Amino acid sequence: MASADIVYEQVHFRHDPKWSVRLRSAEGGGLLLCMACVIEMLETEELASVRKCFALSRISGILKSSAGALRELFRQDHRVTLHFITTLLGMLQTEEDPVTVEKVDQVLVQLLLEFQNELPFHFVLDEVHKQLNGQLSGKRLLPTFNFLGNLLKTVPNVAHSFITQYVPLLDHLCSALVCPDEALKTSVVHVWLQLMQTSGDTGPQYLPIATRDRLCTLLLQTFSNASSAQLIKNCAGLLWQLVKYEEAVSVLMSSSGSQLMCDANEDILTNNSQTLIQDQEQQPADHSLLPLLLKKLLLSGDETLQVTSAKCIAAILVHSPSQYSGLCIKADLPGFLFDRLASSSSEMLLWSIYSCLVLLTEEPLFFSQCHSVYGMESLVRSLKEALQLSSLEAPKQGFLLLTEILERQPPGVHLFPSGSGFVAVSEAVKAGVSSSCLLVAAQAIKAAAALFRLNHQSRPVQYQEVEKLIEAITSRFPELILPSPAHRRRTWNKRRSDSSNQTFQSKGFLLQALICFQAACRLAEECASEPALLKNPFTAPYKHSDAQDSLESVCQCLLRCCDSVWIPTVLKTCDGPPSAQILESLYSILCSQFVLLPSLMPQFASKLVSSGFYRLAVEHKALLCAGNRNPNLNASCCGFLQKLSMCLLFQSDPPCGSNHDFEEVENLLQSNLSSLCCHLSDWPSLLCEYQEPRAVQYCLVMMLYLALKQGDRLLPDQTVFSSVVVLLQSVQEQGNCVLPRSVLRSALYLLAVTQDKSPSLDGAHLNYISKVLSSCQSFSSLYSHHPALLHFIWRYPELADKFGTLVLELWLAKKSQMGARQDTAGMQESNEKTESQTQQDQDQEPDLETLELLALMEKYPNVMLTLLDMVVSGEAPLAEHVLYVLKVLLLGQREFVTDLGASLGPALLQALQRISVDSMANGLGQGHAAPAANSLPVVLKLLCLMQASDPPSPSIYSNMEGVCFKLLYHVSSIGGMLKPTNTESLLPALNFLQCCLSQSPADSSDRAVSMLLSNSGLMDQLQTVISSSSAPSPPPSGCPPLALLCCSHLLLSSLITLQRIHSTQVHKSIIWSLDMAVQRLFCQKRNTDNLLLVSYLRMLQALLDADLASPVVSLSTSPGLVGPRPLEAEDGALYPLGSTGAQCLLTALTGLLMQKHELLLRTSVNCLSSLLGFLKRKNPDLAKHAVCQPWSQFLLYCSLSSGEKCLLHPALLRLITLLLQYSSTAVLWEPDLLRVLDTVERSGIKELNHEAARALRLLLTQIQSSVPLPTEHHKLRRPLSFVQVKPAGEIVALVEWSVESRM
């Protein structure tokens, strides 16, 4: 035999060969096994333990590799199998060698596991029970208990039979716990642990009550006295299994330490279980032993035991939080749990402790003993650790705990008395919001919502942290997968479950985010109501202006995020089935914005309406709130619609009515919006149906009006128009019903704006509308500043007759409120404006209000007559606005201006006649102005506009006996009667007279000048104006305005010129100080306005052309000009100017020519021309001497050196012409004239404007007649060929052609 064979050589020959088997080499290397030999070896006491251990090892190997061979052997006789098992069980108690005992245990378990379908487990348990019944020592029973534990762990099916059928054996197991041997206790507790674990969820329920209660009591006793680590671990494991059942928890929590000391002997443990429970219930709950044991586990350094302790606490609390929470809190378990949080980073431990604390927060005692305050710092630190873990369950549970603490914390106990504590929690929550898992982020957001309660805010309030949290939540929105149509298309080919799960999580996140945002808005409202919280009192004053940590900054952040991110995100979810919870939060948030930042709400409200929020809110109410569903959503929608409507009503233009009207509308909306739960498509029927009360109909009209003002047409225009007409008709037919003023105003606006796409009203409907409008005492309270209202009123003559004038007055009054327009007081200079300036003024676009009036006049001509009547009879401010409109009309060259002129002239003439009559009766010049005279300034300005219109009507001057001559007559008469201080009327009167004279044709101007010169009152008026400004110093404050003095000078200059032309008889002359005028030009030009200088020059020009001898003006002079008497011959010839005066005037003109003022430059050249002409006529030598002075050469040099653009200026060309004309030596062919001609050739004649081309023509003509021919050397130059090759006549003709081509 081989040495590896399992045979007992001394007795093997006696055994039947059927109990032997030769295992093949593939299975056992040719091993010979005799089962009979094995049994006899194990039963032989004299045989060495080593031999037995070897045999058992070989059997164990065969069971692992060739269990089938053993199965065939045992099938031959079942009794042999039972005998073999009995032998092994006996060895558990008799064998001394621990190695052998371990092998016996191993073989037994393997054998029962392999043959569990063939071997009866009852036999094994019966044998074990027999052994336990024997009076063996605890040490002998230890292998048996170890075997039972291994058996239950390896063959779980045994557990159920064990519990249900072997109660005596269970009692033995309980009794073994009384044994002082800890090794035995450890094994027994392990058996119980395996029994509880492997019996399933229902197995422990079959455990007898007495046995269960006895086990609970003995476990606590064993646990409290345990010292070995394994026993403590096994006890903790068994405790975790027991606390899963409510009945066991009741016994465990009712057991106190003192009772266990009394229950040390076995007799007490075997008493009736009911007596035991009664005794336990009599113990005070505060002395329960179990919490102390759980604290002991928490204090251990073993993380597994700490996790088990936390799980046990959670399991206990789950059964009855109200019964056991107080006991655990009094035992200070929360403090121990928080301490473990601060020192652990284990995922399972964190999750378990979080779960326990979440359950403990349900007990008010948790907060009254300040456990929340004690553990907040540990909780925040653990949350930061938990977020670093791979699993997401722990941080999710942690934020749940934080949420529960923040929500349940009593308001009287502050969690964050300092800002640092709040900042730490805020940073932890912000980190949770940024978690990659939406479930964790959603729970963190829920914690943030609880953190935003006012009682959790530190002092000072950390507004910046609140703002950071809102921004962190907002930044997650782009990651959300919301059920929009685009998302559904993208996920069509993906797994539906994954997409649905992501969408569900995203919607949950969005809902929590909205609730949190709502909490932030509520916090901002509460802080705004407490002045002490508005600003941080500990912030330095110079930092308050930054407002980075202020309530206003938070409110702006809320509005900015709401506008840019939150609203679009929620609207995206509305593409699918809307969520009532999400919409409720959204509308509540929008309501809060109207309270937080009222100054920004007008723009925000307009944006909401233009984005369709009226439509959205109405449809959401109809869809989700009809039939008394979702009352909270209905309330939020109604609150939003009310605040939105009132905000729009406050910013309506003009404001809608008085405070009473606002209150009326607010009450109307507040009382009726909740019952309005119908779709927009149902609104027309609601408006047209007769119903009482009409409050709901009024709400519809108001919302249609406010939405339409912002461009949102909730219903088609034709539908709105017809519905409102029917409503107004119904109200009128009812008789006793009076429309609220704000509702009537809204209805009128709706009719006006929707009229274009609607049929015209018939007589009956017009009558109803006229009556309802007339029912309001003040039409201004119904007025809306919209062009459509103008067109609606004037479209129907019935309405225009009653309300046309009123609506025009209100339109113009609103125009004045929107900004001052350009005044027409400067019309006296219209005839002096250059062509470019006039064109620039005409190109200026009028305001929109004026354009609308022009369009209205073009469509409805009667509007123009009404405006004319308003000019004559209206108040001064109103007439001024009408004047501006007519000015734009007259200067705008519209097609119907001719008709306007035909109507305007007679109307103004009639007004002037009435004013003249009133003036005669009441003394216009004495300050007793009649009512009609109040419109005189506007009438005169309108006359000036008629004169300045471009092009003027030919009929204006064709018949001076007609309307225009009569106008001139009345204006001159009125001008003579006005007080000199009445510049508001005197200035346009003189301006009109000046325009008439300057624009009158030669064949008509004689009558005009004759009539004016014969008007002594007018001449006295001019004398008064001129005399009051004749002081040598700058004019004092009492002098007439500059414009009036300028206009008087211009009118006098025209009268002087025309009187000289027509030799008109003069009845009264005006005294004018020539020396004062020269002195002003010579010495005071720097302190004199340019326009006044121009008027003096024009006056002097006219006088010089008349050789200073006009009967219109009587000139006064002084010795300073003409010298002492007797006069020298030279001074006498130039009297009353004198040689000194001529020299002074020449010097003054030279200085004015050096200036760059356009009008002053042109007028100075013209005056210089008149002065030189006067000197030539009076003293030719003096004129030639004057132009040959050094000043002329210096002036020419400076002018030619001012740049190429100035070389072709009309004034410079005219100046050179004058110098050449009077044979001045200052002008040289080269370089002066050549330089000008070079510039002409480079720029081209066609590029010259009309005035420059005319001046160039005069210059070339003068060159031809007065400049000698150049030398041959000069002829070779290109500019010379330009002049010499062509005859002078051709050059002049070329320039004339250029001039005429521009005319």
Side-chain angles (χ1 to χ4, degrees), residues 843-897:
D843 290 342
Q844 185 177 1
E845 288 296 330
D847 54 87
L848 295 178
E849 283 75 15
T850 302
L851 292 176
E852 289 296 339
L853 279 179
L854 297 180
L856 187 70
M857 283 189 284
E858 191 169 359
K859 192 172 183 180
Y860 307 107
N862 289 337
V863 175
M864 187 166 52
L865 299 177
T866 304
L867 290 175
L868 289 176
D869 184 66
M870 292 166 63
V871 169
V872 176
S873 59
E875 296 294 332
L878 181 63
E880 288 286 348
H881 298 315
V882 178
L883 176 65
Y884 175 77
V885 174
L886 296 177
K887 172 187 174 183
V888 175
L889 181 63
L890 288 169
L891 300 179
Q893 301 181 19
R894 293 176 175 262
E895 295 179 357
F896 57 95
V897 171

Side-chain angles (χ1 to χ4, degrees), residues 380-399:
V380 172
R381 189 181 300 115
S382 69
L383 283 173
K384 295 179 180 179
E385 291 289 338
L387 288 170
Q388 307 299 322
L389 302 175
S390 57
S391 175
L392 300 172
E393 289 299 322
K396 180 182 174 184
Q397 196 73 4
F399 283 112

Side-chain angles (χ1 to χ4, degrees), residues 948-1013:
S949 61
D950 185 25
S953 175
S955 61
I956 292 180
Y957 309 108
S958 60
N959 187 5
M960 290 302 292
E961 289 81 2
V963 174
C964 293
F965 186 79
K966 294 178 182 179
L967 287 172
L968 185 65
Y969 171 77
H970 285 290
V971 171
S972 63
S973 299
I974 292 175
M977 291 185 291
L978 291 171
K979 293 179 64 176
T981 55
N982 188 4
T983 56
E984 187 180 9
S985 298
L986 187 57
L987 179 61
L990 298 181
N991 193 9
F992 174 74
L993 298 177
Q994 160 64 15
C995 289
C996 287
L997 292 180
S998 61
Q999 296 179 0
S1000 297
D1003 57 348
S1004 302
S1005 58
D1006 57 339
R1007 297 184 183 183
V1009 70
S1010 177
M1011 186 263 294
L1012 294 179
L1013 290 175

Side-chain angles (χ1 to χ4, degrees), residues 43-115:
E43 291 178 345
T44 303
E45 296 181 0
E46 295 80 6
L47 192 65
S49 298
V50 175
R51 185 73 183 274
K52 295 178 181 180
C53 184
F54 174 77
L56 291 172
S57 298
R58 302 301 291 180
I59 292 295
S60 176
I62 293 172
L63 286 173
K64 291 179 181 180
S65 59
S66 304
L70 283 180
R71 186 178 291 108
E72 294 299 328
L73 288 177
F74 285 136
R75 282 178 178 174
Q76 299 178 84
D77 193 341
H78 186 62
R79 291 173 301 171
V80 175
T81 306
L82 298 179
H83 181 69
F84 181 59
I85 293 174
T86 303
T87 301
L88 292 175
L89 289 173
M91 290 181 67
L92 291 176
Q93 297 183 354
T94 59
E95 186 61 43
E96 297 291 340
D97 181 37
V99 178
T100 304
V101 172
E102 182 180 355
K103 290 297 180 181
V104 170
D105 189 315
Q106 182 179 354
V107 171
L108 267 173
V109 172
Q110 283 183 288
L111 188 65
L112 293 173
L113 178 63
E114 291 294 335
F115 304 129

Side-chain angles (χ1 to χ4, degrees), residues 1046-1062:
C1046 293
C1047 191
S1048 299
H1049 284 159
L1050 295 176
L1051 179 57
L1052 273 176
S1053 65
S1054 298
L1055 288 174
I1056 293 170
T1057 302
L1058 292 175
Q1059 189 277 334
R1060 180 175 55 85
I1061 294 173
H1062 300 293

